[in-house]
Amino acid sequence: MSIISRFKDIMASNINALLDKAENPEKMIDQYLRNLNSDLGKVKSETASVMAEEQRAKRLVTDCGEDMEKMERYAIKALEAGNEGDARKFLEKKAALTARLTELQSSYQLASANALQMKQMHDKLVADIGELESRKNMLKAKWSVAKTQERVNKLGASAAGSGQSISAFERMEEKVNRALDEANAMAELNADPKDEMADLTAKYDEPSHDVEDELAALKERMKNNG
């Protein structure tokens, strides 16, 4: 692909858009600079050739125009000398040169357009290279900071994950305690109801004698019977 055919691609390129889409702007900057410098070298080489072609086409147009004027002057001289036949030949040659001039002018216009494109590409590439060079260190520094921040964010996310694990454990512990409380409450509800009347009558019953009292009573009774 010739550099001329790449004119639209180069002119339509947008550094900022390319960097925004790049996964790694730092590497993208270096690669894009290499591409731009490579294109610039080709543009300079091609420009020299195109400019030479433009000058050649311009010279041919000028020479053809001068030849046409010369044929017209000779035609006038021939008429002044009474040689109408010679005058006609000079005018026929002028007519042929006129047709050739049209072709030469078309070639010159094309060469001029190519030269203009080369100038535009050259200026665009120089501007892009200058912009990237001036922003290179700044963009690389920003990229480094961004990567550092990304690592910090990942560490923060890990810490947050640990906190979530602790919170989950606490929720589980709370759930177990709640289940235990509910089980104890259910056991209390399922227990036999307390006999309040039995407790009340026992309060007023005679206290039972202990073994020593009963032993003393037996001895007393045996003594009386003896």
Side-chain angles (χ1 to χ4, degrees):
M1 180 186 295
S2 68
I3 198 68
I4 291 292
S5 64
R6 289 199 59 215
F7 174 74
K8 291 183 179 179
D9 292 337
I10 292 176
M11 298 306 293
S13 64
N14 186 304
I15 293 176
N16 293 323
L18 289 173
L19 293 179
D20 289 341
K21 295 178 181 178
E23 294 182 1
N24 189 333
E26 185 176 3
K27 291 183 179 179
M28 186 65 179
I29 291 171
D30 292 334
Q31 182 60 49
Y32 197 54
L33 274 173
R34 286 193 292 270
N35 293 343
L36 288 177
N37 281 302
S38 175
D39 284 338
L40 183 59
K42 295 175 183 177
V43 165
K44 287 182 177 180
S45 176
E46 191 74 17
T47 297
S49 175
V50 170
M51 289 180 65
E53 180 62 27
E54 181 189 19
Q55 292 301 316
R56 176 177 175 276
K58 182 179 181 180
R59 184 171 59 254
L60 290 175
V61 169
T62 300
D63 291 346
C64 186
E66 291 176 352
D67 288 342
M68 288 171 57
E69 292 176 356
K70 183 168 64 175
M71 290 301 101
E72 184 174 338
R73 289 197 302 270
Y74 277 114
I76 293 173
K77 288 182 179 180
L79 286 175
E80 290 175 345
N83 295 323
E84 185 174 332
D86 290 343
R88 182 176 289 106
K89 290 180 181 179
F90 288 129
L91 291 178
E92 288 174 352
K93 179 62 175 178
K94 178 185 176 183
L97 290 172
T98 300
R100 175 169 170 73
L101 179 63
T102 300
E103 296 177 358
L104 292 175
Q105 287 175 334
S106 296
S107 297
Y108 174 62
Q109 290 175 355
L110 179 59
S112 295
N114 287 340
L116 178 60
Q117 286 185 345
M118 297 305 300
K119 182 66 167 59
Q120 290 175 339
M121 278 194 290
H122 177 273
D123 293 345
K124 174 72 162 54
L125 290 172
V126 170
D128 286 351
I129 291 173
E131 181 179 355
L132 269 187
E133 288 289 358
S134 64
R135 296 177 57 194
K136 180 178 178 180
N137 293 333
M138 179 189 68
L139 289 173
K140 284 190 173 184
K142 284 186 176 181
W143 176 248
S144 178
V145 171
K147 296 302 291 182
T148 300
Q149 185 63 50
E150 183 179 350
R151 290 194 295 271
V152 170
N153 291 341
K154 288 182 178 179
L155 291 174
S158 298
S162 299
Q164 291 175 356
S165 298
I166 294 174
S167 298
F169 179 81
E170 291 176 347
R171 289 195 299 272
M172 183 61 68
E173 184 179 18
E174 181 181 353
K175 184 177 181 180
V176 170
N177 290 335
R178 185 168 59 252
L180 180 60
D181 292 340
E182 290 177 356
N184 289 335
M186 184 61 68
E188 184 176 346
L189 291 174
N190 291 334
D192 293 335
K194 186 177 182 181
D195 190 350
E196 295 182 357
M197 184 56 66
D199 292 341
L200 184 61
T201 56
K203 179 179 179 181
Y204 295 98
D205 285 342
E206 291 293 334
S208 59
H209 300 289
D210 58 18
V211 174
E212 293 299 328
D213 291 341
E214 187 175 357
L215 179 61
L218 286 175
K219 287 181 177 181
E220 184 64 27
R221 192 169 59 192
M222 290 174 64
K223 180 180 178 182
N224 293 332
N225 291 335

